[in-house]
Amino acid sequence: MAVPSGIRPNMVALPGKPIGNVPNYDAAMATRPKTASTSPRAPRLWSPSELIAILDETYGRALQQASAAPVFELVLTLLSQHTSDRNSGQAMHRLIERFPTWDAVLAAPVREIEDAIRPGGLAPTKSKRLQELLAEVRARRPDWDLRFLADLPLDEAKAWLTSLPGVGPKTAACVLLFALERPALPVDTHVER
């Protein structure tokens, strides 16, 4: 396929979009090792460190900020299932606005919880799961303090969390990583694929 005149390899044309430069293309191409193939169709295999360096240079690296609130993270992750971050954020905001404590959520009628978390979708299912989850956490840790998970070996912390009703490996990893700064990687279907 011939490249139209005036188009350099570091320029991209997308349907309905003007042609523009791809950020950092020239720098990446200058540092990439030469391949034995002379075929223009030979795929470039970027190493993870090369990709991370290019993304960091282009977008910067976001600082990780641990919430230091494992139960909050547990509930937020449950509410985030099968919905967008925006919707789960609204559901969480409404939940904590209506119920000032986890004990209040646990004591509330399911219909009230369902109403509070409705923006997150699947409210009838999630409201019941949320109460089951909180009941088990309360039974095991009456003070609601899950920071002890930071001191357990990682496998034990994951096992403790996944023994809770409705908590799988991804939810456990979210709590460990985002609330306790543990080296756990939340992997969902899309990431795994």
Side-chain angles (χ1 to χ4, degrees), residues 47-57 61:
S47 73
S49 60
E50 289 174 311
L51 290 173
I52 290 169
I54 291 168
L55 292 170
D56 281 350
E57 184 180 326
R61 183 166 292 197

Side-chain angles (χ1 to χ4, degrees), residues 170 187-193:
K170 179 187 171 194
V187 177
D188 64 14
T189 308
H190 308 295
V191 172
E192 185 175 13
R193 190 177 312 137

Side-chain angles (χ1 to χ4, degrees), residues 41-85:
R41 295 188 185 270
R44 166 64 169 108
L45 300 177
W46 300 88
S47 73
S49 60
E50 289 174 311
L51 290 173
I52 290 169
I54 291 168
L55 292 170
D56 281 350
E57 184 180 326
T58 304
Y59 300 105
R61 183 166 292 197
L63 297 174
Q64 182 178 336
Q65 298 176 9
S67 69
V71 176
F72 181 93
E73 204 66 51
L74 191 60
V75 171
L76 179 59
T77 305
L78 181 143
L79 294 177
S80 74
Q81 295 168 353
H82 305 289
T83 193
S84 68
D85 286 347

Side-chain angles (χ1 to χ4, degrees), residues 3-37:
V3 176
S5 66
I7 303 292
R8 296 189 325 266
N10 68 328
M11 300 186 88
V12 176
L14 299 174
K17 301 281 184 191
I19 294 172
N21 285 326
V22 175
N24 300 316
Y25 179 88
D26 292 327
M29 293 306 287
T31 60
R32 93 178 215 198
K34 303 298 180 208
T35 60
S37 172

